[in-house]
Amino acid sequence: MPILIRRGWEIPEARVTPEHLVFGRRKAMLAGAGLLAAPAMASAQEAAPLRAMRNTRYVPGRDITGEREATTFNNYYEFGSDKGISRPAQRLPQRPWTVKVEGMVETPREFGIEDLLRTMPLEERVYRLRCVEAWSMVVPWTGFPISALLEVVKPLASARYVVFETAAIPAVMPGLRQSWYPWPYIEGCTVAEAANDLSFLVVGAYGKLLPPQNGGPIRFHQPWKYGFKAGKSIVRITLTDRRPVSFWEQIQASEYGFWANVNPEVAHPRWSQASERVLGTNARIPTQLFNGYGEFVAGLYTGLQNERLWA
Ligand SMILES: Nc1nc2c(c(=O)[nH]1)N[C@H]1C(S)=C(S)[C@@H](COP(=O)(O)O)O[C@H]1N2
Ligand SMILES: [Mo]
């Protein structure tokens, strides 16, 4: 997202792993995890298959974005502040990977990613994603509602917020050297928002394991909110009674708030949110209130008129 900050990171040549090693390592990792399909992978972009039944309740109403566009045009500031981070992001180790779920819960637990893949009710959902920068895409994600995970750990009645902490691994993330950013990337929502069926923990895309540049092995997505709410590569989920101050909110609270629900009528301080550019096309289309998911989520916000609900 274009904010005040100059770019200026560059991976020193010596730290870039030669391509064939990256590919080899990734293949070995997946094979070790028992997830590699029989044919050898042609490139790091080709992750192992992960199939699940499509949930037909949520229809995107638009064409699915090409896999190539969705997996090579990314916001992932830990790897750099431009969109072309898909290659360096292949260095993010995907196994072993654990997600701690803790704080105000009856049974805090650490989940291995394989456990989640095996035990959670995986399904495919084709969701729209609207970035606050006014571009959008439509992606077939594979994942499970976060409510299924919360059922296992049982939030206490006193818990009001869910906080997502994402990976911060200096050895592979050159963006972390931009020390003026408040790493790690934190995001959050209310327990009521998390309980909504749309709130989805994503472990795959396009019928394959989620690639690291899109937040593999596990990221969040609430499709009625701006994309920056969707923390990538999650390592910790904390239930708390304190509203978190998210990464972007710490940087520029006037532009990136806690709620960040999509609303075409509320402009970003520096640009209009009335329309969006459809990734992979030249089309510009009108943006919809709650990104078109109002029928499922508008009820969450009755009685909250005093909150800054939009970006
Ligand atoms: N950890 C982390 N998560 C992140 C970001 C980031 O920079 N770091 N960018 C966010 C933004 S601004 C958007 S629009 C989406 C982009 O997801 P995509 O690359 O899969 O399209 O990821 C979000 N999650
Ligand atoms: Mo974004």
Side-chain angles (χ1 to χ4, degrees):
M1 102 188 23
I3 51 167
L4 338 144
I5 291 156
R6 23 239 171 225
R7 34 185 314 224
W9 63 276
E10 214 80 286
I11 315 177
E13 272 305 307
R15 300 201 46 188
V16 180
T17 309
E19 209 171 85
H20 66 278
L21 291 182
V22 176
F23 294 167
R25 187 169 54 208
R26 188 167 164 76
K27 202 189 287 183
M29 240 152 45
L30 292 169
L35 289 162
L36 183 63
M41 286 182 293
S43 85
Q45 310 290 351
E46 273 176 51
L50 180 66
R51 307 230 172 266
M53 285 279 285
R54 183 170 292 183
N55 181 332
T56 53
R57 188 165 178 228
Y58 307 114
V59 281
R62 280 160 40 196
D63 289 346
I64 289 177
T65 302
E67 181 177 357
R68 188 166 188 84
E69 278 77 41
T71 57
T72 56
F73 180 92
N74 303 102
N75 272 332
Y76 202 157
Y77 272 61
E78 287 85 337
F79 289 98
S81 46
D82 64 67
K83 310 295 179 196
I85 55 74
S86 62
R87 196 166 283 268
Q90 304 310 311
R91 299 184 67 209
L92 180 63
Q94 304 285 284
R95 298 289 186 280
W97 193 277
T98 59
V99 182
K100 291 198 177 79
V101 188
E102 57 191 30
M104 296 178 144
V105 296
E106 267 178 43
T107 42
R109 264 189 65 178
E110 187 168 359
F111 295 88
I113 187 70
E114 306 296 352
D115 291 344
L116 294 174
L117 289 171
R118 205 172 38 243
T119 59
M120 290 290 122
L122 297 189
E123 59 182 57
E124 183 178 72
R125 294 192 185 183
V126 187
Y127 275 170
R128 297 179 291 273
L129 183 150
R130 170 60 155 82
C131 176
V132 73
E133 298 162 337
W135 56 266
S136 70
M137 61 179 185
V138 177
V139 175
W141 303 113
T142 304
F144 52 94
I146 190 175
S147 59
L149 182 67
L150 295 180
E151 264 168 40
V152 178
V153 295
K154 301 188 201 67
L156 303 177
S158 48
R160 295 212 36 222
Y161 299 96
V162 186
V163 183
F164 300 88
E165 181 183 322
T166 84
I169 307 173
V172 298
M173 294 173 157
L176 299 188
R177 280 181 256 146
Q178 297 186 305
S179 54
W180 56 90
Y181 282 120
W183 311 111
Y185 195 102
I186 297 287
E187 261 305 340
C189 67
T190 64
V191 168
E193 289 176 316
N196 187 280
D197 186 56
L198 279 172
S199 296
F200 207 50
L201 278 167
V202 176
V203 292
Y206 297 93
K208 301 169 196 167
L209 288 177
L210 187 64
Q213 66 270 31
N214 292 93
I218 180 165
R219 61 95 64 83
F220 197 45
H221 190 206
Q222 293 174 309
W224 71 97
K225 292 176 178 283
Y226 288 114
F228 69 86
K229 297 297 295 179
K232 290 181 165 179
S233 310
I234 293 167
V235 294
R236 188 193 312 272
I237 299 175
T238 307
L239 281 286
T240 168
D241 56 1
R242 292 215 207 128
R243 184 183 295 190
V245 181
S246 70
F247 179 82
W248 290 111
E249 202 179 355
Q250 287 177 60
I251 294 166
Q252 195 69 316
S254 63
E255 304 192 351
Y256 312 105
F258 171 76
W259 299 96
N261 296 306
V262 175
N263 188 339
E265 290 178 7
V266 178
H268 183 277
R270 292 181 282 131
W271 59 84
S272 163
Q273 295 291 26
S275 67
E276 61 203 55
R277 184 177 68 84
V278 180
L279 208 65
T281 75
N282 291 319
R284 260 207 110 78
I285 59 171
T287 289
Q288 297 171 269
L289 183 61
F290 290 115
N291 199 23
Y293 294 95
E295 63 175 299
F296 305 110
V297 299
L300 287 168
Y301 304 101
T302 49
L304 292 176
Q305 295 86 334
N306 294 330
E307 295 281 339
R308 210 181 89 210
L309 292 173
W310 325 104

